[in-house]
Amino acid sequence: MIDFELSEEQQMIRDSVGGFAREEIRAAARPADESGIIPPELVAKAWQFGLVSGAIPEQFGGGGDARSAVTGAIVAEELAFGDFAIALHVLAPRLFAFPILEMGTDEQRAKFLKHFCGADFAAATAAIMEPRFDFDLTAMQTIAKRDGAGFILDGIKCNVPLASESNNILVYAATDAGKGFAGVDAFIINRNARDAPGVTISEREKNMGLKALATYELTLNDCRVDADARLGGDKGIDFSRLMSESRVAFAAMGVGVANAAYEYARDYAKERKAFGVPIATKQAIAFILADMAIEIDASRLLIWEAAAKLDKGGDALKESYLAKNYVAASALKITDNAVQVLGGHGYIREHPVEMWLRNARGLAAIDGIATV
Amino acid sequence: MIDFELEPQVVNRLKMYRMVSEQMMRPISRDCDEHEHVKPTQFYESMWSASAMAEVQVGNDKDKAGDGAKADAGPKLRNLYTVLSTEELCWGDAGLFLSTPNAGLGGAAVMAAGTAEQKERFLKRFREGKPKWGAMAITEPGCGSDSAAVTTTATRDGDHWVINGTKIFCTAGEMAAEKSEGFVVVWATVDKSAGRAGIKPFVVEHNTPGMDVVRVENKLGIRASDTAAIVFDNCRVPFDHLLGSAEVKREGGFKDVMATFDATRPIVAAMAIGVGRAALDFVRDFLKEQKVAIRYGISPRRLTTIERDFMEMEVQLQAARLLTWRAAWMLDLGKRNSLEASMAKAKAGLAVTLITQKAVELLGPIGYSRKHLVEKWMRDAKINDIFEGTQQINMIIIARRILGYSSKELN
Ligand SMILES: Cc1cc2nc3c(=O)[nH]c(=O)nc-3n(C[C@H](O)[C@H](O)[C@H](O)COP(=O)(O)OP(=O)(O)OC[C@H]3O[C@@H](n4cnc5c(N)ncnc54)[C@H](O)[C@@H]3O)c2cc1C
Ligand SMILES: Cc1cc2nc3c(=O)[nH]c(=O)nc-3n(C[C@H](O)[C@H](O)[C@H](O)COP(=O)(O)OP(=O)(O)OC[C@H]3O[C@@H](n4cnc5c(N)ncnc54)[C@H](O)[C@@H]3O)c2cc1C
């Protein structure tokens, strides 16, 4: 039955994560963007929310909470409202842990999930993107070929968050090229991936935005893995579902950034006077702000709809794809307009809006990071 | 808990509206459009007798005997249900939807501003006898968006009001004023010096002397719906035809009347969405026939322009729809929804203008041809960005709300 209200529990999570993001993450965002360093204390504090361990079953030492894509979207949005890059950093271990949780074999779950239930941040990640303009999840050029019982992986991945500090990396590769989503599998590369044979991790990447997030290129050259490295064993994975989840979370972060920019611009416009009146009293500015408000709500509803469908076990490929592409455009437009509302001051790095514009641009460029 | 799934009973009910659309509206769509002022009387009769119409009678709060629809939807979700059925019927034909005999906007005004006794007295007729129409007349040649500037006057004369002025663009005005036993709710000022506080709604019964339909407009779209210009020349109505209180208060009064729009804007948004979905469905079926696949999930940089356009149409429609559902749902829960209602209306008006224009563009000569209905839908869609508050007026309302500004500060 149609309902637009969060559950009490979701409201509580939203308030607590949101409060932390508003105050502590936001304060760290600009220095992190300039220096490329996220304070470890901040990451440790975020970890205490049980962002990863909460959903891991009690038998592995986790909180055993039911996983919900809607709740995941709410958390992702709130964190990114504080800072997109920091949100991606603290959620990066989900890229590894959640696919194992959801689609791993019993052995894989038993072996890996406990790593995420300790008191300290456990870096882990996934390698999905490839450095090509036309990179397509359904036509990967990273290939995994059968080799006896195991596989040989070849290809180049990029935008792999925390690759350097992660002991566990999930690498996605085509095992049956031409089969689209169904032809993709994921492989666990572990035990200090830097030293795994056939794996090379580049220098830290340099991007226009999301500069606080450490990402790397990862080259696989004749990289051999055992059969048990294949996520889900013989059954493999439901890659389409994983990517739907990923898109929902990534899009939710886009809304978080857009909302940050909107609120900032709105408050600024009420303060800033030009021609003797607050600029917000001019329709040219007021309509921009009204449009931002509409688009934030519309974007969020599209995401929640896709997420609610995932929560019911449905196929939300179409909904999540449309929502993510919608948000990629709306978040860019909203952050761009925030810069515009601040005029020349929006262009200056003293204000955060230019950073949000650079960060929001990442939504259209990146696919397949941030699972819910 | 966040949920966007309709209950099976509701889905089933909507299938009935779909049948009405397919069997009673679509077959006469083109003909009604081409013969603008010819009345589809047979359609009126069928719709009037179809109990299925109960829910779209805006402002008619009485359950019809034996009508199970509301019970299905749950009494709490009445506005949401109206929005859903409106979309379904406007998928059929928005012009015919607007011309359907019912209390219409006049009924909405009675519901919003009338006393319990007035509601019963004026709305009873819509549950019995022959087809009837209700209309609302606010707009004047000299004032549209600025509805507080109406110049039509109502002067007290003993136990009557005497109304003078000219109203234009009155939907179903001809049917309500002259062609049925309906009524027109007219906005007039009882005290010009009081500004907006002096504006009151009056019920003027059909064929009241001094009320004359002087013109029925020729329009771009929704041609099945009559849009009338009505002149009031010393038109006398009984004292108790003023809806609500005759007292001129500085506060309240006008605001209450404006609150009518909180309920009707989501419905207008839903009308837009119905038309937009008609166009989208047509394009989808057409592309399928042509074996053009829409590939969801691949890199957006590998999409064809047709795929991109189609997906954009699809997601814009869904964004508008979700905003609309939310606005109606809030009303059902008794929450103040002015902001959300304007968001829905602003988004839907714009989105569906774009969607229908895109549909014509995508289909090339087929889209432009009067052989199909796509070009008509583009013409029909446009009105939704204009009436019940233009795009700009809704943006002002939204901006005022998010900025905490009064109408003086932002206008
Ligand atoms: C990199 C850079 C280089 C520059 N170089 C120079 C230079 O060499 N010389 C120089 O003198 N200046 C320079 N400027 C300043 C620049 O011209 C101003 O920033 C610009 O004119 C906008 O003024 P503002 O920043 O005070 O914005 P504001 O005037 O505060 O405007 C804020 C927002 O309100 C809008 N707005 C303002 N008034 C109205 C209105 N009446 N109706 C509707 N909307 C309104 C604006 O369009 C804007 O979106 C530079 C700025 C930058 C960022
Ligand atoms: C088919 C049809 C059916 C209708 N049905 C009814 C009905 O049943 N009853 C009824 O009373 N009316 C009805 N209307 C009238 C309708 O509500 C008005 O046309 C509408 O409110 C706009 O008013 P206007 O046409 O006078 O335009 P104007 O108010 O003159 O507006 C012209 C343009 O200026 C813009 N504008 C106006 N004020 C501002 C502002 N402050 N800031 C920025 N932009 C502004 C508008 O957005 C618009 O783009 C109907 C109209 C049509 C065409």
Side-chain angles (χ1 to χ4, degrees):
Chain A
M1 197 178 87
I2 303 281
D3 192 350
F4 288 86
E5 221 147 26
L6 301 183
S7 70
E8 238 170 79
E9 196 195 335
Q10 286 169 333
Q11 193 57 53
M12 266 169 51
I13 295 172
R14 184 186 220 178
D15 291 345
S16 61
V17 175
F20 170 69
R22 245 160 230 269
E23 280 150 39
E24 304 190 39
I25 296 184
R26 180 65 65 82
R30 173 61 77 183
D33 184 74
E34 297 283 339
S35 67
I37 298 164
I38 299 171
E41 315 84 70
L42 187 71
V43 176
K45 214 159 171 188
W47 189 250
Q48 284 168 12
F49 281 99
L51 296 175
V52 182
S53 65
I56 292 177
E58 285 164 9
Q59 65 185 113
F60 306 119
D65 301 336
R67 266 187 74 200
S68 151
V70 174
T71 310
I74 292 163
V75 168
E77 178 186 333
E78 290 301 324
L79 288 171
F81 180 88
D83 185 66
F84 198 173
I86 295 174
L88 284 167
H89 180 107
V90 301
L91 292 180
R94 287 186 170 194
L95 283 169
F96 182 87
F98 283 5
I100 302 251
L101 174 61
E102 198 172 333
M103 294 174 191
T105 60
D106 290 344
E107 295 76 40
Q108 287 165 341
R109 287 155 59 100
K111 183 167 172 197
F112 292 106
L113 292 180
K114 57 178 189 286
H115 295 318
F116 299 97
C117 299
D120 297 330
F121 181 76
T125 191
I128 303 174
M129 297 282 296
E130 294 169 2
R132 299 176 354 234
F133 87 97
D134 61 346
F135 167 68
D136 189 345
L137 293 167
T138 64
M140 283 193 181
Q141 286 185 10
T142 299
I143 305 288
K145 270 207 248 58
R146 269 189 194 281
D147 173 46
F151 292 85
I152 298 180
L153 276 63
D154 277 291
I156 303 177
K157 294 290 185 181
C158 69
N159 294 135
V160 185
L162 318 190
S164 185
E165 59 181 298
S166 294
N167 285 333
N168 295 302
I169 301 179
L170 205 53
V171 175
Y172 290 83
T175 39
D176 199 345
K179 269 210 170 161
F181 282 114
V184 175
D185 274 284
F187 298 88
I188 301 164
I189 295 181
N190 68 315
R191 284 188 301 276
N192 211 341
R194 270 163 302 185
D195 307 328
V199 178
T200 318
I201 290 170
S202 72
E203 291 289 293
R204 183 168 164 166
E205 288 171 339
K206 294 191 170 103
N207 286 317
M208 175 197 210
L210 300 173
K211 286 163 63 186
L213 179 71
T215 67
Y216 303 84
E217 213 168 76
L218 184 146
T219 308
L220 301 154
N221 191 357
D222 219 7
C223 172
R224 267 157 218 277
V225 295
D226 293 337
D228 62 8
R230 182 180 174 192
L231 182 58
D234 290 341
K235 218 166 67 249
I237 56 170
D238 183 348
F239 185 49
S240 169
R241 182 174 172 92
L242 284 178
M243 286 305 101
S244 299
E245 292 177 352
S246 161
R247 282 175 171 141
V248 163
F250 205 45
M253 290 187 186
V255 174
V257 180
N259 199 23
Y262 157 67
E263 288 194 2
Y264 196 92
R266 179 196 62 197
D267 296 347
Y268 182 92
K270 291 186 74 173
E271 291 289 320
R272 175 71 173 177
K273 288 200 167 121
F275 304 96
V277 292
I279 54 172
T281 62
K282 301 284 185 189
Q283 283 189 358
I285 297 296
F287 283 12
I288 291 177
L289 294 168
D291 187 55
M292 289 179 177
I294 295 174
E295 290 307 322
I296 286 165
D297 282 9
S299 300
R300 187 184 291 123
L301 291 175
L302 289 168
I303 291 164
W304 285 0
E305 187 188 29
K309 201 163 176 202
L310 284 170
D311 281 346
K312 289 192 176 181
D315 172 11
L317 170 67
K318 173 171 152 180
E319 288 82 358
S320 61
Y321 180 75
L322 291 179
K324 195 252 172 179
N325 291 351
Y326 190 88
V327 174
S330 72
L332 181 63
K333 185 169 139 203
I334 289 166
T335 51
D336 179 70
N337 275 331
V339 173
Q340 188 64 27
V341 167
L342 266 71
H345 298 274
Y347 199 76
I348 305 298
R349 297 222 298 277
E350 193 190 322
H351 290 280
V353 284
E354 64 78 31
M355 177 176 75
W356 290 327
L357 170 60
R358 288 186 284 111
N359 288 350
R361 180 75 273 184
L363 282 157
I366 296 172
D367 215 351
I369 63 177
T371 92
V372 290
Chain B
M1 237 224 344
I2 301 295
D3 193 350
F4 298 92
E5 212 167 2
L6 300 175
E7 288 162 306
Q9 309 96 288
V10 176
V11 173
N12 275 338
R13 267 277 149 174
L14 292 178
K15 282 190 190 138
M16 287 187 36
Y17 289 100
R18 170 76 176 231
M19 267 168 55
V20 171
S21 284
E22 279 175 347
Q23 291 168 18
M24 290 160 69
M25 293 174 146
R26 287 281 179 98
I28 58 170
S29 259
R30 175 54 70 189
D31 204 48
C32 289
D33 183 73
E34 304 267 330
H35 303 98
E36 187 160 15
H37 301 294
V38 180
K39 307 287 178 209
T41 44
Q42 160 102 57
F43 170 77
Y44 295 160
E45 290 288 344
S46 324
M47 291 302 269
W48 182 254
S49 54
S51 66
M53 283 305 297
E55 285 66 43
V56 274
Q57 293 200 8
V58 178
N60 186 351
D61 209 22
K62 289 277 178 217
D63 281 5
K64 278 198 176 178
D67 185 283
K70 271 172 224 150
D72 285 351
K76 269 176 66 190
L77 297 182
R78 193 169 172 279
N79 287 286
L80 181 62
Y81 193 81
T82 302
V83 152
L84 291 168
S85 47
T86 299
E87 174 183 331
E88 217 50 58
L89 290 171
C90 289
W91 180 90
D93 192 295
L96 287 169
F97 169 81
L98 276 176
S99 76
T100 300
N102 61 40
L105 281 178
V110 174
M111 284 304 296
T115 62
E117 183 273 327
Q118 286 174 326
K119 287 179 199 175
E120 177 58 19
R121 176 154 48 105
F122 292 122
L123 297 179
K124 201 167 92 144
R125 72 192 72 187
F126 294 100
R127 302 192 292 274
E128 57 197 31
K130 284 195 281 199
K132 296 174 193 75
W133 285 260
M136 176 140 92
I138 306 168
T139 308
E140 300 178 359
C143 95
S145 298
D146 184 10
S147 50
V150 298
T151 59
T152 297
T153 55
T155 317
R156 180 91 189 257
D157 179 22
D159 52 4
H160 279 77
W161 295 101
V162 181
I163 299 175
N164 279 291
T166 301
K167 294 290 181 183
I168 57 168
F169 297 166
C170 183
T171 297
E174 187 190 23
M175 301 310 288
E178 294 182 348
K179 300 257 158 103
S180 77
E181 291 165 8
F183 61 76
V184 181
V185 174
V186 181
W187 286 22
T189 172
V190 294
D191 178 1
K192 266 190 180 155
S193 68
R196 61 179 58 209
I199 297 169
K200 301 283 176 187
F202 297 84
V203 173
V204 183
E205 287 287 355
H206 58 278
N207 293 332
T208 303
M211 171 170 73
D212 287 299
V213 172
V214 294
R215 187 174 69 245
V216 180
E217 308 289 353
N218 301 319
K219 303 191 295 291
L220 171 68
I222 54 163
R223 292 181 182 167
S225 160
D226 81 78
T227 304
I230 306 177
V231 170
F232 295 88
D233 181 14
N234 284 320
C235 177
R236 295 174 70 85
V237 302
F239 185 78
D240 65 359
H241 279 215
L242 182 153
L243 294 172
S245 157
E247 194 190 339
V248 174
K249 282 183 294 190
R250 292 284 140 195
E251 293 300 317
F254 189 73
K255 260 201 199 126
D256 291 345
V257 181
M258 292 306 278
T260 315
F261 294 127
D262 296 346
T264 55
R265 283 193 176 130
I267 298 173
V268 175
M271 286 179 56
I273 292 159
V275 179
R277 182 154 64 80
L280 189 72
D281 286 352
F282 187 96
V283 175
R284 182 189 289 106
D285 292 346
F286 183 86
L287 292 178
K288 209 180 230 167
E289 257 172 50
Q290 304 292 313
K291 308 224 180 314
V292 178
I294 307 291
R295 297 167 296 169
Y296 300 97
I298 72 166
S299 165
R301 286 172 290 281
R302 290 183 60 217
L303 295 174
T304 63
T305 45
I306 289 182
E307 285 174 301
R308 254 181 188 265
D309 283 349
F310 185 79
M311 287 177 185
E312 182 65 13
M313 291 158 73
E314 218 175 359
V315 76
Q316 288 288 344
L317 190 78
Q318 190 61 9
R321 180 191 274 130
L322 294 175
L323 289 171
T324 303
W325 288 5
R326 180 179 67 168
W329 171 87
M330 284 178 76
L331 211 57
D332 285 325
L333 263 62
K335 296 175 192 255
R336 186 79 205 267
N337 76 337
S338 320
L339 171 65
E340 290 78 7
S342 281
M343 281 184 163
K345 167 75 168 72
K347 178 73 185 175
L350 211 55
V352 171
T353 302
L354 293 175
I355 289 164
T356 51
Q357 288 175 358
K358 207 61 176 171
V360 171
E361 182 200 320
L362 277 184
L363 298 171
I366 293 152
Y368 201 65
S369 164
R370 284 197 347 247
K371 210 164 117 189
H372 304 283
L373 290 168
V374 185
E375 64 82 27
K376 174 184 179 300
W377 293 327
M378 181 186 130
R379 291 184 286 109
D380 287 350
K382 184 64 210 171
I383 190 60
N384 295 300
D385 212 18
I386 298 170
F387 63 10
E388 294 284 297
T390 60
Q391 174 72 25
Q392 290 70 31
I393 292 306
N394 281 291
M395 292 302 264
I396 290 180
I397 293 168
I398 296 162
R400 278 184 196 145
R401 296 236 152 219
I402 62 174
L403 291 162
Y405 282 160
S406 67
S407 50
K408 273 202 199 71
E409 288 163 299
L410 179 61
N411 50 55

